[in-house]
Amino acid sequence: MTASAEGPEEGKGPEVRKPRRRMNYGEGREALLNAAVRVVARGGLRKLTYRAVAQEAGTTHGLVVHHFGSRDALIEEALAHAIRTSLSTSALEPGTGKVDDFSVGVSDMVTADPDIQAFQYELLLEARRRPELLPQIRALYDDYFDATERELSRMLPGGSGRPLTRLIFAALDGLVLHQLVFGEPETTDAAIEELRGLLRLLAADGDDAPVTDVEDTPENKG
């Protein structure tokens, strides 16, 4: 028997449901993705059902089915949506090549929308229990690594390889997780400024590196 058929639990009032409303196609899809993010962030992946997403969005169960077709498709598209949103609000890739611009606003991003960050960590942990999620998690998280690597390559004269990229991103990812759990956005800001200080040193070291005269290399002698 479903929960709705059973009625409210003893001692509790009737369940409060969000009023349903009509949405146009684009608005509906975006609202459902945001609702899926909130459901997973607050209750874990096991709470993600068509009915829960519809209730959170204040729309119909059938609209969720219409847009996504399967629960796996909903999960995959919600994760892609979460990463796109994070990339657009974190200044991970401002495109300026200036160290001072790198990751500006990360603490504000977490404060403004903690659910979208929590959603990603929930899915990362769930991938340990459900290996079938790992390929899409890995592929989608590569977007973060690629954005980080491109911006580091703009900042550092010698460019950035994948190991350095992963190191820098892991530091940012850890700071986001800590703020999500402990709060303290000022601690996040201070730590990111320290990270920028290290990047300035790397950039200066690259600028000071001696330039090899091509004519004097061993390969060009003889």
Side-chain angles (χ1 to χ4, degrees):
M1 186 179 293
T2 64
S4 58
E6 292 171 355
E9 295 180 25
E10 185 177 352
K12 295 184 179 180
E15 182 181 3
V16 177
R17 295 180 179 275
K18 295 187 177 183
R20 294 177 178 178
R21 62 188 182 90
R22 285 188 172 275
M23 304 175 185
N24 63 42
Y25 187 86
E27 178 194 13
R29 190 177 189 84
E30 187 83 2
L32 292 173
L33 289 172
N34 287 328
V37 164
R38 292 193 297 271
V39 168
V40 174
R42 297 168 189 177
L45 194 61
R46 62 189 178 84
K47 294 290 188 181
L48 185 68
T49 64
Y50 289 147
R51 195 170 303 281
V53 172
Q55 184 174 337
E56 178 65 31
T59 188
T60 64
H61 168 274
L63 188 63
V64 187
V65 178
H66 169 72
H67 276 289
F68 302 104
S70 73
R71 185 171 179 269
D72 286 344
L74 175 58
I75 292 170
E76 184 172 345
E77 294 198 39
L79 180 59
H81 168 70
I83 291 178
R84 285 194 304 270
T85 302
S86 292
L87 283 171
S88 68
T89 57
S90 68
L92 192 61
E93 189 185 6
T96 65
K98 297 179 180 178
V99 174
D100 288 349
D101 295 336
F102 183 63
S103 292
V104 169
V106 166
S107 64
D108 292 337
M109 174 192 71
V110 180
T111 299
D113 196 352
D115 284 347
I116 210 161
Q117 307 306 320
F119 169 83
Q120 293 172 74
Y121 292 120
E122 286 284 347
L123 261 66
L124 284 170
L125 291 173
E126 187 65 26
R128 295 186 70 246
R129 298 181 285 269
R130 294 179 53 190
E132 67 271 18
L133 289 175
L134 190 57
Q136 64 195 45
I137 296 287
R138 187 186 298 277
L140 291 167
Y141 240 68
D142 277 344
D143 288 346
Y144 279 141
F145 302 143
D146 291 343
T148 304
E149 186 167 351
R150 286 192 299 267
E151 194 61 26
L152 289 174
S153 294
R154 294 183 185 104
M155 290 187 287
L156 306 178
S160 172
R162 209 59 164 185
L164 177 60
T165 296
R166 293 291 290 265
L167 176 64
I168 297 298
F169 182 77
L172 294 171
D173 204 28
L175 290 171
V176 169
L177 177 59
H178 287 184
Q179 183 178 333
L180 195 62
V181 176
F182 302 116
E184 303 174 350
E186 67 281 357
T187 301
T188 302
D189 291 338
I192 290 177
E193 184 52 43
E194 289 292 329
L195 180 61
R196 292 193 195 103
L198 295 175
L199 290 173
R200 291 184 189 99
L201 291 175
L202 287 174
D205 186 58
D207 285 335
D208 293 340
V211 178
T212 302
D213 188 337
V214 175
E215 295 181 355
D216 291 337
T217 59
E219 293 81 358
N220 289 282
K221 289 184 177 181

